[in-house]
Amino acid sequence: MEFCPKCGGLMLPAVVDGRKVLKCRSCGYVKESNNPGNAYRLEEKVQRHPLDKITVLDVNVSTLPVVPFKCENCGNDKAYVYEVQTRAGDEPATRFYICTKCRKVYREYA
Ligand SMILES: [Zn+2]
Ligand SMILES: [Zn+2]
């Protein structure tokens, strides 16, 4: 929580010209928000759900082979299989299973 340097009023988040700022509720003083909270939260989300990032990759699942796979999310028994070569060629590819029904992504660790 931040307080106005001018009048000591409570600074509230506001959007001015598309920028996120803090604005004093009492006198209207505007301070550029350098709050790293949003960026940090985004990073945290990506780390906690690394597979969410994969799902937004431009993968055309209709071209992927379908294999038997039990989806814990919806109970479906088929999934597209998608392989990603993570590092140099001597590393085994990481395999992802994408449920054909709910599109939940599972990662298989080699
Ligand atoms: Zn103020
Ligand atoms: Zn599913």
Side-chain angles (χ1 to χ4, degrees):
M1 191 171 291
E2 284 208 46
F3 295 97
C4 176
K6 277 185 161 181
C7 73
L10 186 60
M11 301 292 282
L12 294 174
V15 176
V16 175
D17 295 335
R19 285 171 302 133
K20 282 185 180 168
V21 298
L22 290 172
K23 192 172 182 183
C24 175
R25 196 168 60 168
S26 307
C27 74
Y29 175 81
V30 169
K31 177 178 180 279
E32 291 287 334
S33 174
N34 54 2
N35 176 16
N38 285 341
Y40 177 67
R41 230 172 287 139
L42 187 67
E43 198 183 333
E44 196 179 49
K45 186 170 182 263
V46 168
Q47 282 172 356
R48 207 181 295 154
H49 304 288
L51 297 183
D52 288 353
K53 226 180 160 188
I54 299 298
T55 58
V56 301
L57 277 182
D58 190 18
V59 178
N60 187 358
V61 290
S62 64
T63 64
L64 297 174
V66 174
V67 296
F69 184 85
K70 181 80 177 166
C71 176
E72 291 165 11
N73 190 46
C74 71
N76 190 25
D77 59 2
K78 287 192 201 70
Y80 301 105
V81 62
Y82 175 59
E83 281 192 356
V84 180
Q85 193 70 45
T86 43
R87 289 187 222 144
D90 57 339
E91 294 270 325
T94 305
R95 191 172 288 177
F96 294 93
Y97 294 98
I98 306 165
C99 175
T100 58
K101 206 170 165 187
C102 70
R103 298 296 165 96
K104 185 174 169 65
V105 180
Y106 296 86
R107 177 174 179 162
E108 182 188 74
Y109 291 91

